[in-house]
């Protein structure tokens, strides 16, 4: 409900939660219900790029600005998100030198591509996500406090799956339907024992772990029913 309400505005949102808990799904939910839904939703994982690459990915570059650059240059994701939403995942891992540039973009609503001399106006909505405690990163001088306050206009906390057990059966059924279609199998259902096993697991990998478990279960299914034998879940947590 909070996310749906926030979708109607353009405030910056910081989504926090454990890895695999569904932060990007929530970001897409906000975008899809906003006035920017017809425009791009572009995501970038700040942890996945080396410093030399994240800058060009975000801000773009002009032709000939560095060795290996395309002759005509390349627009960055901030520019390509025009009218839409930019989702920065794992924002806590963004290098401090890039944090400074991102802060300037948020203050001026312009970017300066690598090798460029003219500022380019940009119009995008920013949603960030992290599984880290950014206040601790700030204390360690790894994250700028002024950027933190910019991106944290509103914070949405996504609870881990173990704290919302009521979601587990619905998510499992959703993934069963998805993967049975992808693997060209008929409709599948969970046995009572399998559902109990899912509810008794702590899901340290959250929704991502549940998704993978259901994909494997569909692949292993020999009938129209998923039983405990098809659930390849590590450990036996909170068993009765």
């Amino acid at each position: 409900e909070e996310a749906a309400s926030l979708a109607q505005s353009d405030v910056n949102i910081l989504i926090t939660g454990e890895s695999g808990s569904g932060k990007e799904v929530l970001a897409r939910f906000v975008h899809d219900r906003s006035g920017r839904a017809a425009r791009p939703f572009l995501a970038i994982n700040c942890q996945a790029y080396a410093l030399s690459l994240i800058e060009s990915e975000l801000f773009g570059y002009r032709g000939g600005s560095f060795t290996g650059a395309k002759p005509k240059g390349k627009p960055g994701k901030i520019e390509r998100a025009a009218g839409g939403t930019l989702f920065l995942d794992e924002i806590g891992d963004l290098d401090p030198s890039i944090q400074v540039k991102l802060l300037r973009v948020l203050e001026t609503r312009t970017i300066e591509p690598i090798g460029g001399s003219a500022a380019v106006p940009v119009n995008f909505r920013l949603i960030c996500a992290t599984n880290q405690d950014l206040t601790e990163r700030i204390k360690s001088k790894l994250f700028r406090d002024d950027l933190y306050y910019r991106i944290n206009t509103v914070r949405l906390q996504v609870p881990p799956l173990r704290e919302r057990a009521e979601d587990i059966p619905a998510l499992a059924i959703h993934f069963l339907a998805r993967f049975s279609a992808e693997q060209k199998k008929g409709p599948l259902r969970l046995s009572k024992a399998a559902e109990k096993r899912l509810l008794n697991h702590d899901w340290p990998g959250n929704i991502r772990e549940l998704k993978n478990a259901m994909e494997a279960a569909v692949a292993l299914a020999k009938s129209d029913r998923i039983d405990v034998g098809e659930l390849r879940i590590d450990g036996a947590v909170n068993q009765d």
Side-chain angles (χ1 to χ4, degrees), residues 131-165:
N131 61 10
Q132 302 185 63
D133 185 340
L134 292 186
T135 58
E136 290 299 318
R137 301 281 288 177
I138 290 170
K139 291 177 183 177
S140 301
K141 307 297 183 183
L142 296 172
F143 202 84
R144 296 180 62 93
D145 57 352
D146 46 6
L147 179 60
Y148 174 74
Y149 294 121
R150 275 282 183 176
I151 66 175
N152 190 26
T153 306
V154 179
R155 185 170 74 96
L156 293 176
Q157 171 73 29
V158 181
L161 191 55
R162 62 183 173 275
E163 293 181 7
R164 43 188 170 121

PDB file of all heavy atoms in Angstrom, residues 131-165:
ATOM      1  N   ASN A 131      21.264  -3.961   0.607  1.00  0.00           N
ATOM      2  CA  ASN A 131      21.102  -4.910   1.703  1.00  0.00           C
ATOM      3  C   ASN A 131      22.055  -4.569   2.844  1.00  0.00           C
ATOM      4  O   ASN A 131      22.227  -5.342   3.778  1.00  0.00           O
ATOM      5  CB  ASN A 131      21.333  -6.354   1.228  1.00  0.00           C
ATOM      6  CG  ASN A 131      22.733  -6.575   0.680  1.00  0.00           C
ATOM      7  OD1 ASN A 131      23.610  -5.729   0.811  1.00  0.00           O
ATOM      8  ND2 ASN A 131      22.956  -7.714   0.048  1.00  0.00           N
ATOM      9  N   GLN A 132      22.691  -3.405   2.743  1.00  0.00           N
ATOM     10  CA  GLN A 132      23.646  -2.966   3.753  1.00  0.00           C
ATOM     11  C   GLN A 132      23.049  -1.863   4.638  1.00  0.00           C
ATOM     12  O   GLN A 132      22.062  -1.235   4.274  1.00  0.00           O
ATOM     13  CB  GLN A 132      24.914  -2.429   3.084  1.00  0.00           C
ATOM     14  CG  GLN A 132      25.609  -3.424   2.187  1.00  0.00           C
ATOM     15  CD  GLN A 132      26.909  -2.884   1.645  1.00  0.00           C
ATOM     16  OE1 GLN A 132      27.838  -2.597   2.398  1.00  0.00           O
ATOM     17  NE2 GLN A 132      26.992  -2.739   0.338  1.00  0.00           N
ATOM     18  N   ASP A 133      23.672  -1.657   5.781  1.00  0.00           N
ATOM     19  CA  ASP A 133      23.302  -0.554   6.666  1.00  0.00           C
ATOM     20  C   ASP A 133      24.090   0.675   6.217  1.00  0.00           C
ATOM     21  O   ASP A 133      25.289   0.791   6.498  1.00  0.00           O
ATOM     22  CB  ASP A 133      23.638  -0.914   8.114  1.00  0.00           C
ATOM     23  CG  ASP A 133      23.170   0.142   9.104  1.00  0.00           C
ATOM     24  OD1 ASP A 133      22.945   1.301   8.685  1.00  0.00           O
ATOM     25  OD2 ASP A 133      23.061  -0.174  10.298  1.00  0.00           O
ATOM     26  N   LEU A 134      23.441   1.579   5.501  1.00  0.00           N
ATOM     27  CA  LEU A 134      24.158   2.733   4.950  1.00  0.00           C
ATOM     28  C   LEU A 134      24.661   3.674   6.033  1.00  0.00           C
ATOM     29  O   LEU A 134      25.662   4.373   5.827  1.00  0.00           O
ATOM     30  CB  LEU A 134      23.259   3.480   3.959  1.00  0.00           C
ATOM     31  CG  LEU A 134      22.941   2.737   2.657  1.00  0.00           C
ATOM     32  CD1 LEU A 134      22.172   3.649   1.700  1.00  0.00           C
ATOM     33  CD2 LEU A 134      24.198   2.205   1.989  1.00  0.00           C
ATOM     34  N   THR A 135      24.002   3.701   7.175  1.00  0.00           N
ATOM     35  CA  THR A 135      24.507   4.567   8.251  1.00  0.00           C
ATOM     36  C   THR A 135      25.863   4.078   8.751  1.00  0.00           C
ATOM     37  O   THR A 135      26.728   4.893   9.099  1.00  0.00           O
ATOM     38  CB  THR A 135      23.509   4.626   9.425  1.00  0.00           C
ATOM     39  OG1 THR A 135      23.270   3.307   9.932  1.00  0.00           O
ATOM     40  CG2 THR A 135      22.176   5.218   8.964  1.00  0.00           C
ATOM     41  N   GLU A 136      26.058   2.757   8.745  1.00  0.00           N
ATOM     42  CA  GLU A 136      27.370   2.214   9.110  1.00  0.00           C
ATOM     43  C   GLU A 136      28.397   2.506   8.025  1.00  0.00           C
ATOM     44  O   GLU A 136      29.568   2.769   8.321  1.00  0.00           O
ATOM     45  CB  GLU A 136      27.271   0.700   9.359  1.00  0.00           C
ATOM     46  CG  GLU A 136      26.509   0.319  10.621  1.00  0.00           C
ATOM     47  CD  GLU A 136      27.167   0.886  11.883  1.00  0.00           C
ATOM     48  OE1 GLU A 136      28.415   0.845  11.971  1.00  0.00           O
ATOM     49  OE2 GLU A 136      26.439   1.369  12.769  1.00  0.00           O
ATOM     50  N   ARG A 137      27.973   2.464   6.777  1.00  0.00           N
ATOM     51  CA  ARG A 137      28.868   2.801   5.669  1.00  0.00           C
ATOM     52  C   ARG A 137      29.296   4.264   5.760  1.00  0.00           C
ATOM     53  O   ARG A 137      30.436   4.611   5.452  1.00  0.00           O
ATOM     54  CB  ARG A 137      28.180   2.546   4.326  1.00  0.00           C
ATOM     55  CG  ARG A 137      27.715   1.134   4.084  1.00  0.00           C
ATOM     56  CD  ARG A 137      28.833   0.214   3.671  1.00  0.00           C
ATOM     57  NE  ARG A 137      29.312   0.459   2.316  1.00  0.00           N
ATOM     58  CZ  ARG A 137      30.323  -0.184   1.758  1.00  0.00           C
ATOM     59  NH1 ARG A 137      30.982  -1.095   2.449  1.00  0.00           N
ATOM     60  NH2 ARG A 137      30.709   0.076   0.521  1.00  0.00           N
ATOM     61  N   ILE A 138      28.373   5.116   6.202  1.00  0.00           N
ATOM     62  CA  ILE A 138      28.693   6.537   6.365  1.00  0.00           C
ATOM     63  C   ILE A 138      29.741   6.715   7.464  1.00  0.00           C
ATOM     64  O   ILE A 138      30.716   7.456   7.308  1.00  0.00           O
ATOM     65  CB  ILE A 138      27.419   7.339   6.687  1.00  0.00           C
ATOM     66  CG1 ILE A 138      26.499   7.394   5.463  1.00  0.00           C
ATOM     67  CG2 ILE A 138      27.763   8.757   7.143  1.00  0.00           C
ATOM     68  CD1 ILE A 138      25.129   7.949   5.732  1.00  0.00           C
ATOM     69  N   LYS A 139      29.563   6.012   8.590  1.00  0.00           N
ATOM     70  CA  LYS A 139      30.523   6.091   9.697  1.00  0.00           C
ATOM     71  C   LYS A 139      31.913   5.629   9.254  1.00  0.00           C
ATOM     72  O   LYS A 139      32.922   6.137   9.744  1.00  0.00           O
ATOM     73  CB  LYS A 139      30.038   5.247  10.876  1.00  0.00           C
ATOM     74  CG  LYS A 139      28.800   5.788  11.570  1.00  0.00           C
ATOM     75  CD  LYS A 139      28.351   4.839  12.669  1.00  0.00           C
ATOM     76  CE  LYS A 139      27.072   5.311  13.327  1.00  0.00           C
ATOM     77  NZ  LYS A 139      26.581   4.360  14.355  1.00  0.00           N
ATOM     78  N   SER A 140      31.937   4.675   8.329  1.00  0.00           N
ATOM     79  CA  SER A 140      33.212   4.139   7.845  1.00  0.00           C
ATOM     80  C   SER A 140      33.770   4.956   6.680  1.00  0.00           C
ATOM     81  O   SER A 140      34.765   4.536   6.069  1.00  0.00           O
ATOM     82  CB  SER A 140      33.027   2.683   7.409  1.00  0.00           C
ATOM     83  OG  SER A 140      32.560   1.886   8.481  1.00  0.00           O
ATOM     84  N   LYS A 141      33.120   6.067   6.359  1.00  0.00           N
ATOM     85  CA  LYS A 141      33.562   6.953   5.271  1.00  0.00           C
ATOM     86  C   LYS A 141      33.488   6.273   3.905  1.00  0.00           C
ATOM     87  O   LYS A 141      34.230   6.619   2.988  1.00  0.00           O
ATOM     88  CB  LYS A 141      34.997   7.454   5.509  1.00  0.00           C
ATOM     89  CG  LYS A 141      35.229   8.093   6.866  1.00  0.00           C
ATOM     90  CD  LYS A 141      34.405   9.344   7.049  1.00  0.00           C
ATOM     91  CE  LYS A 141      34.707  10.010   8.387  1.00  0.00           C
ATOM     92  NZ  LYS A 141      33.847  11.218   8.626  1.00  0.00           N
ATOM     93  N   LEU A 142      32.590   5.316   3.778  1.00  0.00           N
ATOM     94  CA  LEU A 142      32.428   4.610   2.511  1.00  0.00           C
ATOM     95  C   LEU A 142      31.198   5.087   1.738  1.00  0.00           C
ATOM     96  O   LEU A 142      31.033   4.730   0.568  1.00  0.00           O
ATOM     97  CB  LEU A 142      32.320   3.104   2.755  1.00  0.00           C
ATOM     98  CG  LEU A 142      33.568   2.445   3.352  1.00  0.00           C
ATOM     99  CD1 LEU A 142      33.273   0.998   3.734  1.00  0.00           C
ATOM    100  CD2 LEU A 142      34.733   2.526   2.375  1.00  0.00           C
ATOM    101  N   PHE A 143      30.353   5.859   2.418  1.00  0.00           N
ATOM    102  CA  PHE A 143      29.164   6.391   1.758  1.00  0.00           C
ATOM    103  C   PHE A 143      28.927   7.815   2.233  1.00  0.00           C
ATOM    104  O   PHE A 143      29.044   8.115   3.425  1.00  0.00           O
ATOM    105  CB  PHE A 143      27.931   5.527   2.064  1.00  0.00           C
ATOM    106  CG  PHE A 143      26.836   5.678   1.035  1.00  0.00           C
ATOM    107  CD1 PHE A 143      26.864   4.932  -0.131  1.00  0.00           C
ATOM    108  CD2 PHE A 143      25.793   6.577   1.229  1.00  0.00           C
ATOM    109  CE1 PHE A 143      25.870   5.067  -1.073  1.00  0.00           C
ATOM    110  CE2 PHE A 143      24.798   6.721   0.286  1.00  0.00           C
ATOM    111  CZ  PHE A 143      24.832   5.962  -0.872  1.00  0.00           C
ATOM    112  N   ARG A 144      28.590   8.672   1.298  1.00  0.00           N
ATOM    113  CA  ARG A 144      28.409  10.100   1.615  1.00  0.00           C
ATOM    114  C   ARG A 144      27.070  10.340   2.304  1.00  0.00           C
ATOM    115  O   ARG A 144      26.028   9.869   1.831  1.00  0.00           O
ATOM    116  CB  ARG A 144      28.479  10.935   0.340  1.00  0.00           C
ATOM    117  CG  ARG A 144      29.820  10.898  -0.377  1.00  0.00           C
ATOM    118  CD  ARG A 144      29.755  11.765  -1.625  1.00  0.00           C
ATOM    119  NE  ARG A 144      29.484  13.161  -1.290  1.00  0.00           N
ATOM    120  CZ  ARG A 144      30.426  14.083  -1.096  1.00  0.00           C
ATOM    121  NH1 ARG A 144      31.709  13.748  -1.205  1.00  0.00           N
ATOM    122  NH2 ARG A 144      30.102  15.322  -0.817  1.00  0.00           N
ATOM    123  N   ASP A 145      27.106  11.081   3.394  1.00  0.00           N
ATOM    124  CA  ASP A 145      25.856  11.342   4.094  1.00  0.00           C
ATOM    125  C   ASP A 145      24.937  12.251   3.286  1.00  0.00           C
ATOM    126  O   ASP A 145      23.706  12.098   3.328  1.00  0.00           O
ATOM    127  CB  ASP A 145      26.114  11.931   5.485  1.00  0.00           C
ATOM    128  CG  ASP A 145      26.932  13.205   5.465  1.00  0.00           C
ATOM    129  OD1 ASP A 145      27.450  13.574   4.394  1.00  0.00           O
ATOM    130  OD2 ASP A 145      27.080  13.830   6.539  1.00  0.00           O
ATOM    131  N   ASP A 146      25.506  13.198   2.497  1.00  0.00           N
ATOM    132  CA  ASP A 146      24.644  14.080   1.711  1.00  0.00           C
ATOM    133  C   ASP A 146      23.917  13.307   0.605  1.00  0.00           C
ATOM    134  O   ASP A 146      22.744  13.588   0.312  1.00  0.00           O
ATOM    135  CB  ASP A 146      25.438  15.260   1.118  1.00  0.00           C
ATOM    136  CG  ASP A 146      26.760  14.856   0.483  1.00  0.00           C
ATOM    137  OD1 ASP A 146      27.044  13.651   0.395  1.00  0.00           O
ATOM    138  OD2 ASP A 146      27.512  15.768   0.075  1.00  0.00           O
ATOM    139  N   LEU A 147      24.569  12.305   0.029  1.00  0.00           N
ATOM    140  CA  LEU A 147      23.889  11.467  -0.961  1.00  0.00           C
ATOM    141  C   LEU A 147      22.834  10.607  -0.293  1.00  0.00           C
ATOM    142  O   LEU A 147      21.739  10.414  -0.832  1.00  0.00           O
ATOM    143  CB  LEU A 147      24.899  10.596  -1.699  1.00  0.00           C
ATOM    144  CG  LEU A 147      24.317   9.641  -2.745  1.00  0.00           C
ATOM    145  CD1 LEU A 147      23.582  10.400  -3.835  1.00  0.00           C
ATOM    146  CD2 LEU A 147      25.413   8.767  -3.352  1.00  0.00           C
ATOM    147  N   TYR A 148      23.155  10.109   0.895  1.00  0.00           N
ATOM    148  CA  TYR A 148      22.195   9.286   1.638  1.00  0.00           C
ATOM    149  C   TYR A 148      20.874  10.033   1.850  1.00  0.00           C
ATOM    150  O   TYR A 148      19.795   9.486   1.631  1.00  0.00           O
ATOM    151  CB  TYR A 148      22.800   8.878   2.976  1.00  0.00           C
ATOM    152  CG  TYR A 148      21.842   8.153   3.896  1.00  0.00           C
ATOM    153  CD1 TYR A 148      21.471   6.842   3.653  1.00  0.00           C
ATOM    154  CD2 TYR A 148      21.322   8.793   5.027  1.00  0.00           C
ATOM    155  CE1 TYR A 148      20.598   6.174   4.491  1.00  0.00           C
ATOM    156  CE2 TYR A 148      20.452   8.134   5.877  1.00  0.00           C
ATOM    157  CZ  TYR A 148      20.091   6.817   5.604  1.00  0.00           C
ATOM    158  OH  TYR A 148      19.211   6.168   6.437  1.00  0.00           O
ATOM    159  N   TYR A 149      20.961  11.282   2.258  1.00  0.00           N
ATOM    160  CA  TYR A 149      19.736  12.045   2.498  1.00  0.00           C
ATOM    161  C   TYR A 149      18.999  12.360   1.205  1.00  0.00           C
ATOM    162  O   TYR A 149      17.770  12.514   1.205  1.00  0.00           O
ATOM    163  CB  TYR A 149      20.068  13.325   3.269  1.00  0.00           C
ATOM    164  CG  TYR A 149      20.578  13.033   4.664  1.00  0.00           C
ATOM    165  CD1 TYR A 149      21.836  13.467   5.078  1.00  0.00           C
ATOM    166  CD2 TYR A 149      19.822  12.286   5.556  1.00  0.00           C
ATOM    167  CE1 TYR A 149      22.313  13.174   6.345  1.00  0.00           C
ATOM    168  CE2 TYR A 149      20.291  11.990   6.834  1.00  0.00           C
ATOM    169  CZ  TYR A 149      21.535  12.435   7.216  1.00  0.00           C
ATOM    170  OH  TYR A 149      22.011  12.130   8.465  1.00  0.00           O
ATOM    171  N   ARG A 150      19.728  12.430   0.106  1.00  0.00           N
ATOM    172  CA  ARG A 150      19.102  12.668  -1.199  1.00  0.00           C
ATOM    173  C   ARG A 150      18.299  11.456  -1.659  1.00  0.00           C
ATOM    174  O   ARG A 150      17.192  11.598  -2.179  1.00  0.00           O
ATOM    175  CB  ARG A 150      20.168  12.998  -2.247  1.00  0.00           C
ATOM    176  CG  ARG A 150      20.574  14.454  -2.285  1.00  0.00           C
ATOM    177  CD  ARG A 150      19.537  15.286  -3.008  1.00  0.00           C
ATOM    178  NE  ARG A 150      19.947  16.677  -3.123  1.00  0.00           N
ATOM    179  CZ  ARG A 150      19.255  17.587  -3.783  1.00  0.00           C
ATOM    180  NH1 ARG A 150      18.120  17.256  -4.372  1.00  0.00           N
ATOM    181  NH2 ARG A 150      19.672  18.833  -3.833  1.00  0.00           N
ATOM    182  N   ILE A 151      18.874  10.275  -1.522  1.00  0.00           N
ATOM    183  CA  ILE A 151      18.208   9.082  -2.052  1.00  0.00           C
ATOM    184  C   ILE A 151      17.182   8.520  -1.083  1.00  0.00           C
ATOM    185  O   ILE A 151      16.327   7.718  -1.464  1.00  0.00           O
ATOM    186  CB  ILE A 151      19.232   7.985  -2.402  1.00  0.00           C
ATOM    187  CG1 ILE A 151      19.934   7.454  -1.144  1.00  0.00           C
ATOM    188  CG2 ILE A 151      20.250   8.502  -3.422  1.00  0.00           C
ATOM    189  CD1 ILE A 151      20.871   6.286  -1.408  1.00  0.00           C
ATOM    190  N   ASN A 152      17.242   8.944   0.178  1.00  0.00           N
ATOM    191  CA  ASN A 152      16.408   8.375   1.232  1.00  0.00           C
ATOM    192  C   ASN A 152      15.259   9.310   1.590  1.00  0.00           C
ATOM    193  O   ASN A 152      14.941   9.489   2.762  1.00  0.00           O
ATOM    194  CB  ASN A 152      17.276   8.084   2.467  1.00  0.00           C
ATOM    195  CG  ASN A 152      16.536   7.283   3.519  1.00  0.00           C
ATOM    196  OD1 ASN A 152      15.608   6.550   3.214  1.00  0.00           O
ATOM    197  ND2 ASN A 152      16.951   7.444   4.767  1.00  0.00           N
ATOM    198  N   THR A 153      14.616   9.877   0.570  1.00  0.00           N
ATOM    199  CA  THR A 153      13.440  10.704   0.847  1.00  0.00           C
ATOM    200  C   THR A 153      12.383   9.867   1.561  1.00  0.00           C
ATOM    201  O   THR A 153      11.795  10.289   2.554  1.00  0.00           O
ATOM    202  CB  THR A 153      12.861  11.274  -0.466  1.00  0.00           C
ATOM    203  OG1 THR A 153      13.898  11.960  -1.170  1.00  0.00           O
ATOM    204  CG2 THR A 153      11.721  12.241  -0.176  1.00  0.00           C
ATOM    205  N   VAL A 154      12.150   8.658   1.038  1.00  0.00           N
ATOM    206  CA  VAL A 154      11.264   7.695   1.702  1.00  0.00           C
ATOM    207  C   VAL A 154      11.959   6.339   1.659  1.00  0.00           C
ATOM    208  O   VAL A 154      12.522   5.950   0.629  1.00  0.00           O
ATOM    209  CB  VAL A 154       9.898   7.586   1.004  1.00  0.00           C
ATOM    210  CG1 VAL A 154       9.021   6.550   1.719  1.00  0.00           C
ATOM    211  CG2 VAL A 154       9.188   8.930   0.979  1.00  0.00           C
ATOM    212  N   ARG A 155      11.921   5.625   2.782  1.00  0.00           N
ATOM    213  CA  ARG A 155      12.533   4.292   2.828  1.00  0.00           C
ATOM    214  C   ARG A 155      11.454   3.228   2.943  1.00  0.00           C
ATOM    215  O   ARG A 155      10.519   3.355   3.740  1.00  0.00           O
ATOM    216  CB  ARG A 155      13.500   4.175   4.014  1.00  0.00           C
ATOM    217  CG  ARG A 155      14.258   2.850   4.047  1.00  0.00           C
ATOM    218  CD  ARG A 155      15.366   2.901   5.094  1.00  0.00           C
ATOM    219  NE  ARG A 155      14.847   2.823   6.439  1.00  0.00           N
ATOM    220  CZ  ARG A 155      14.773   1.684   7.141  1.00  0.00           C
ATOM    221  NH1 ARG A 155      15.184   0.552   6.604  1.00  0.00           N
ATOM    222  NH2 ARG A 155      14.317   1.693   8.374  1.00  0.00           N
ATOM    223  N   LEU A 156      11.572   2.196   2.128  1.00  0.00           N
ATOM    224  CA  LEU A 156      10.698   1.036   2.213  1.00  0.00           C
ATOM    225  C   LEU A 156      11.532  -0.168   2.643  1.00  0.00           C
ATOM    226  O   LEU A 156      12.526  -0.495   1.996  1.00  0.00           O
ATOM    227  CB  LEU A 156      10.042   0.744   0.861  1.00  0.00           C
ATOM    228  CG  LEU A 156       9.042   1.774   0.331  1.00  0.00           C
ATOM    229  CD1 LEU A 156       8.558   1.374  -1.056  1.00  0.00           C
ATOM    230  CD2 LEU A 156       7.857   1.923   1.281  1.00  0.00           C
ATOM    231  N   GLN A 157      11.150  -0.801   3.718  1.00  0.00           N
ATOM    232  CA  GLN A 157      11.865  -1.971   4.230  1.00  0.00           C
ATOM    233  C   GLN A 157      11.135  -3.234   3.789  1.00  0.00           C
ATOM    234  O   GLN A 157       9.951  -3.413   4.084  1.00  0.00           O
ATOM    235  CB  GLN A 157      11.937  -1.928   5.756  1.00  0.00           C
ATOM    236  CG  GLN A 157      12.477  -3.189   6.406  1.00  0.00           C
ATOM    237  CD  GLN A 157      13.975  -3.364   6.213  1.00  0.00           C
ATOM    238  OE1 GLN A 157      14.702  -2.384   6.087  1.00  0.00           O
ATOM    239  NE2 GLN A 157      14.423  -4.607   6.197  1.00  0.00           N
ATOM    240  N   VAL A 158      11.818  -4.102   3.051  1.00  0.00           N
ATOM    241  CA  VAL A 158      11.229  -5.369   2.624  1.00  0.00           C
ATOM    242  C   VAL A 158      11.601  -6.441   3.642  1.00  0.00           C
ATOM    243  O   VAL A 158      12.781  -6.758   3.794  1.00  0.00           O
ATOM    244  CB  VAL A 158      11.740  -5.782   1.228  1.00  0.00           C
ATOM    245  CG1 VAL A 158      11.087  -7.095   0.795  1.00  0.00           C
ATOM    246  CG2 VAL A 158      11.452  -4.687   0.209  1.00  0.00           C
ATOM    247  N   PRO A 159      10.638  -7.006   4.344  1.00  0.00           N
ATOM    248  CA  PRO A 159      10.964  -8.017   5.354  1.00  0.00           C
ATOM    249  C   PRO A 159      11.502  -9.294   4.702  1.00  0.00           C
ATOM    250  O   PRO A 159      11.121  -9.629   3.577  1.00  0.00           O
ATOM    251  CB  PRO A 159       9.618  -8.296   6.037  1.00  0.00           C
ATOM    252  CG  PRO A 159       8.712  -7.186   5.616  1.00  0.00           C
ATOM    253  CD  PRO A 159       9.199  -6.743   4.280  1.00  0.00           C
ATOM    254  N   PRO A 160      12.373 -10.028   5.386  1.00  0.00           N
ATOM    255  CA  PRO A 160      12.826 -11.317   4.854  1.00  0.00           C
ATOM    256  C   PRO A 160      11.661 -12.294   4.792  1.00  0.00           C
ATOM    257  O   PRO A 160      10.671 -12.153   5.517  1.00  0.00           O
ATOM    258  CB  PRO A 160      13.891 -11.762   5.856  1.00  0.00           C
ATOM    259  CG  PRO A 160      13.552 -11.048   7.119  1.00  0.00           C
ATOM    260  CD  PRO A 160      12.971  -9.728   6.699  1.00  0.00           C
ATOM    261  N   LEU A 161      11.779 -13.284   3.943  1.00  0.00           N
ATOM    262  CA  LEU A 161      10.682 -14.228   3.734  1.00  0.00           C
ATOM    263  C   LEU A 161      10.318 -14.974   5.017  1.00  0.00           C
ATOM    264  O   LEU A 161       9.147 -15.296   5.238  1.00  0.00           O
ATOM    265  CB  LEU A 161      11.073 -15.223   2.631  1.00  0.00           C
ATOM    266  CG  LEU A 161       9.960 -16.118   2.084  1.00  0.00           C
ATOM    267  CD1 LEU A 161       8.772 -15.307   1.584  1.00  0.00           C
ATOM    268  CD2 LEU A 161      10.503 -17.013   0.975  1.00  0.00           C
ATOM    269  N   ARG A 162      11.281 -15.232   5.884  1.00  0.00           N
ATOM    270  CA  ARG A 162      10.995 -15.966   7.131  1.00  0.00           C
ATOM    271  C   ARG A 162      10.063 -15.183   8.060  1.00  0.00           C
ATOM    272  O   ARG A 162       9.460 -15.761   8.963  1.00  0.00           O
ATOM    273  CB  ARG A 162      12.297 -16.290   7.867  1.00  0.00           C
ATOM    274  CG  ARG A 162      13.085 -15.078   8.311  1.00  0.00           C
ATOM    275  CD  ARG A 162      14.402 -15.450   8.971  1.00  0.00           C
ATOM    276  NE  ARG A 162      15.220 -14.266   9.253  1.00  0.00           N
ATOM    277  CZ  ARG A 162      16.033 -13.709   8.376  1.00  0.00           C
ATOM    278  NH1 ARG A 162      16.153 -14.222   7.156  1.00  0.00           N
ATOM    279  NH2 ARG A 162      16.732 -12.632   8.690  1.00  0.00           N
ATOM    280  N   GLU A 163       9.946 -13.858   7.836  1.00  0.00           N
ATOM    281  CA  GLU A 163       9.054 -13.041   8.658  1.00  0.00           C
ATOM    282  C   GLU A 163       7.691 -12.828   8.013  1.00  0.00           C
ATOM    283  O   GLU A 163       6.852 -12.126   8.567  1.00  0.00           O
ATOM    284  CB  GLU A 163       9.709 -11.688   8.932  1.00  0.00           C
ATOM    285  CG  GLU A 163      10.945 -11.775   9.817  1.00  0.00           C
ATOM    286  CD  GLU A 163      11.573 -10.417  10.089  1.00  0.00           C
ATOM    287  OE1 GLU A 163      10.959  -9.387   9.695  1.00  0.00           O
ATOM    288  OE2 GLU A 163      12.680 -10.368  10.662  1.00  0.00           O
ATOM    289  N   ARG A 164       7.476 -13.428   6.859  1.00  0.00           N
ATOM    290  CA  ARG A 164       6.166 -13.315   6.202  1.00  0.00           C
ATOM    291  C   ARG A 164       5.796 -14.676   5.609  1.00  0.00           C
ATOM    292  O   ARG A 164       5.631 -14.837   4.398  1.00  0.00           O
ATOM    293  CB  ARG A 164       6.169 -12.221   5.140  1.00  0.00           C
ATOM    294  CG  ARG A 164       7.400 -12.171   4.244  1.00  0.00           C
ATOM    295  CD  ARG A 164       7.375 -10.923   3.365  1.00  0.00           C
ATOM    296  NE  ARG A 164       8.623 -10.722   2.685  1.00  0.00           N
ATOM    297  CZ  ARG A 164       8.763 -10.665   1.352  1.00  0.00           C
ATOM    298  NH1 ARG A 164       7.721 -10.801   0.570  1.00  0.00           N
ATOM    299  NH2 ARG A 164       9.933 -10.469   0.800  1.00  0.00           N
ATOM    300  N   ALA A 165       5.679 -15.629   6.522  1.00  0.00           N
ATOM    301  CA  ALA A 165       5.406 -17.012   6.115  1.00  0.00           C
ATOM    302  C   ALA A 165       4.113 -17.134   5.321  1.00  0.00           C
ATOM    303  O   ALA A 165       3.968 -18.045   4.494  1.00  0.00           O
ATOM    304  CB  ALA A 165       5.349 -17.915   7.347  1.00  0.00           C
TER     305      ALA A 165
END
